[in-house]
Amino acid sequence: MTTDPLRIIHCVRSPIGGIFRHIMDLATTQSEAGHQVGVICDSTTGSDFDNALVEALRPKLALGVARFPMQRQLTFQDMAATWNIYKYIRDMKPDVLHGHGAKGGAYARIIGTLLRLKGQNVTRIYCPHGGSLHYDPHRLEGRVYHGIENLLARFTDGLVFVSDYEYAAFETKVGHPKALARVVYNGLQPEEFTPITENPDASDFLYIGMLRDLKGTDLFIEALYNIRLKTGTAPTAEIVGEGPDEERYRAMVERFGLSDKVTFHGALPARDAFKMAKCVVVPSRAEAMPYIILETVAAKRPLIATRVGGIPEIFGRFASRLIEPGHIGKLTMAMESAMESPAELQIAAEGLRTCLAETFSVELMSDRITTLYQELRGVLPPETIAAKSSSRAAPITGTQSVLARSRNQ
């Protein structure tokens, strides 16, 4: 059998944050491996920083980057968007349509199914990246989105989950995958494992991420305020990122009297932001497999994070250091402890980093996902499939169960 280059199109709604970082790395690596790759994303989302990343990606891809208006919520405008994206993809004649996130996954699978009805041999891949899996299955919104996911599962050839947690959430909220599924961790570039030292005038804490309640930005600000109430002095902090709730957080900082202690910077490269503070805080209420955790650990920066999503899979034997999500008291205590005993967090940071490069590699991530495409298209010999499907590096401390491992065989 041959493994000819594939024509691959990645589809995502929002070209920001970790989900787009994943797509950029995957698309670039696949392109460097000889495949023809393109990306489709929303034209109405993204700051100047985000748009610059999109434009930097464009010349690296043989099939380029196309942007169409896409709404976050379900609206009647989705019908027009689907039709416009369908016409574009139809003319590109892809072998693989890989949808990322709830909306990108819906477009990819619906359009891929229409193309198959027209006689095109298109493989439909979906990676949730959290997305609709964050919704509460006991609430109406959750039941609606999980019902749609269950319907679209019938039109899915392959599933990629970025953590064992995400796989389990899909099983619980949507149902056991009917399609061939793989758990493939996000990966980092080799240069990201160079340690970073903070600036001489570094602040006490750094929050970096999207500015929205799901990521816990409000909890971070409230914890700074709580420390001031207890000690009389608020820690200094840097907030790096953009998001829908930014103005509310700025007002919150002013209301708490923290304006002279907290600085908002907008979006910045993570490795530049790491130099600005002694400790990174990721107080998320929900995650899948956040890049910012991987980037922080790879840079050997002290870190406070919550026990959500796939974060325990990264922390391994250090998972006991993770704090309960949404618990402002425990977050405040962890930040106080970081100020009192910074050496302990630094030791933990060094231990976490030990096996990260082997497990969270962008080359391994791309290889395992592309192998899934080829397996579904029947272009790999059985012995190659067996070797590559079992090539996932073990987690840092063997935290996976036998059941979780069996999903990757």
Side-chain angles (χ1 to χ4, degrees):
M1 294 185 184
T2 61
T3 54
D4 294 331
L6 296 171
R7 293 175 65 83
I8 304 163
I9 293 181
H10 296 278
C11 183
V12 65
R13 186 193 67 82
S14 180
I16 63 176
I19 187 171
F20 199 68
R21 159 72 198 266
H22 173 93
I23 292 168
M24 287 193 300
D25 285 347
L26 180 58
T28 300
T29 307
Q30 290 173 334
S31 182
E32 291 171 349
H35 302 287
Q36 294 182 298
V37 186
V39 169
I40 295 174
C41 59
D42 178 34
S43 60
T44 65
T45 303
S47 64
D48 291 343
F49 177 84
D50 301 313
N51 291 330
L53 292 177
V54 175
E55 291 309 309
L57 178 65
R58 191 185 299 273
K60 299 178 182 179
L61 307 181
L63 303 183
V65 175
R67 304 188 71 170
F68 298 86
M70 303 180 191
Q71 302 298 311
R72 182 173 184 271
Q73 303 295 340
L74 294 172
T75 70
F76 286 112
Q77 292 173 302
D78 289 334
M79 297 178 67
T82 302
W83 175 243
N84 290 331
I85 298 170
Y86 165 77
K87 290 188 293 182
Y88 175 82
I89 291 177
R90 176 193 62 195
D91 297 337
M92 301 297 284
K93 294 183 169 50
D95 298 309
V96 176
L97 269 179
H98 190 153
H100 301 262
K103 189 60 73 78
Y107 285 135
R109 290 177 287 177
I110 291 170
I111 292 169
T113 301
L114 292 174
L115 292 175
R116 290 176 76 144
L117 291 173
K118 292 287 186 178
Q120 290 193 32
N121 180 20
V122 180
T123 300
R124 302 157 298 181
I125 306 293
Y126 173 46
C127 181
H129 294 281
S132 59
L133 301 182
H134 288 323
Y135 288 103
D136 186 338
H138 302 295
R139 303 186 64 166
L140 177 60
E141 194 172 30
R143 290 197 294 270
V144 169
Y145 280 106
H146 298 154
I148 294 172
E149 289 283 10
N150 187 275
L151 175 63
L152 289 173
R154 305 176 189 180
F155 308 104
T156 306
D157 301 307
L159 286 159
V160 176
F161 298 104
V162 296
S163 65
D164 289 317
Y165 169 86
E166 188 175 65
Y167 189 113
F170 188 92
E171 282 188 312
T172 301
K173 298 179 179 181
V174 179
H176 183 75
K178 301 177 179 65
L180 188 61
R182 291 283 185 270
V183 175
V184 182
Y185 286 153
N186 290 332
L188 299 179
Q189 301 287 351
E191 58 270 20
E192 293 181 272
F193 291 89
T194 302
I196 288 177
T197 303
E198 72 266 19
N199 296 328
D201 60 347
S203 295
D204 294 308
F205 296 107
L206 166 69
Y207 170 91
I208 177 169
M210 188 174 292
L211 304 187
R212 56 185 296 209
D213 285 353
L214 186 74
K215 300 298 184 180
T217 322
D218 57 323
L219 299 173
F220 177 72
I221 296 169
E222 188 174 346
L224 297 173
Y225 177 63
N226 287 347
I227 294 173
R228 194 192 77 175
L229 289 178
K230 181 176 179 180
T231 66
T233 303
T236 52
E238 313 293 330
I239 295 180
V240 173
E242 299 170 334
D245 298 322
E246 179 174 347
E247 289 307 313
R248 180 160 60 85
Y249 297 145
R250 287 180 177 272
M252 188 176 179
V253 166
E254 185 174 350
R255 186 173 71 253
F256 285 162
L258 299 173
S259 298
D260 61 332
K261 298 291 187 178
V262 178
T263 304
F264 287 82
H265 294 272
L268 293 172
R271 290 180 67 82
D272 291 344
F274 291 154
K275 300 174 184 178
M276 298 163 59
K278 301 171 185 175
C279 180
V280 179
V281 182
V282 182
S284 299
R285 291 179 169 93
E287 290 287 356
M289 177 57 76
Y291 268 100
I292 192 58
I293 297 288
L294 297 175
E295 292 169 307
T296 304
V297 173
K300 207 159 72 172
R301 300 305 302 141
L303 171 65
I304 295 171
T306 48
R307 189 181 293 103
V308 292
I311 296 177
E313 296 168 49
I314 302 171
F315 267 63
R317 64 187 175 89
F318 292 96
S320 61
R321 293 179 175 270
L322 295 169
I323 61 175
E324 184 180 340
H327 197 297
I328 185 60
K330 292 185 178 180
L331 176 61
T332 302
M333 290 175 60
M335 291 170 66
E336 283 183 291
S337 177
M339 296 177 70
E340 294 168 359
S341 306
E344 290 187 16
L345 273 184
Q346 187 61 55
I347 292 170
E350 293 172 1
L352 271 171
R353 186 175 172 273
T354 304
C355 298
L356 197 72
E358 180 183 353
T359 305
F360 298 94
S361 155
V362 69
E363 292 292 340
L364 179 59
M365 176 186 79
S366 177
D367 183 66
R368 296 202 69 247
I369 291 175
T370 306
T371 296
L372 175 63
Y373 301 165
Q374 294 166 330
E375 181 176 351
L376 288 166
R377 296 185 66 79
V379 296
L380 283 181
E383 60 273 16
T384 303
I385 293 172
K388 292 198 173 188
S389 293
S390 61
S391 66
R392 172 180 171 186
I396 293 172
T397 56
T399 56
Q400 283 182 255
S401 66
V402 173
L403 175 60
R405 289 182 188 279
S406 71
R407 294 167 181 156
N408 302 301
Q409 304 303 312

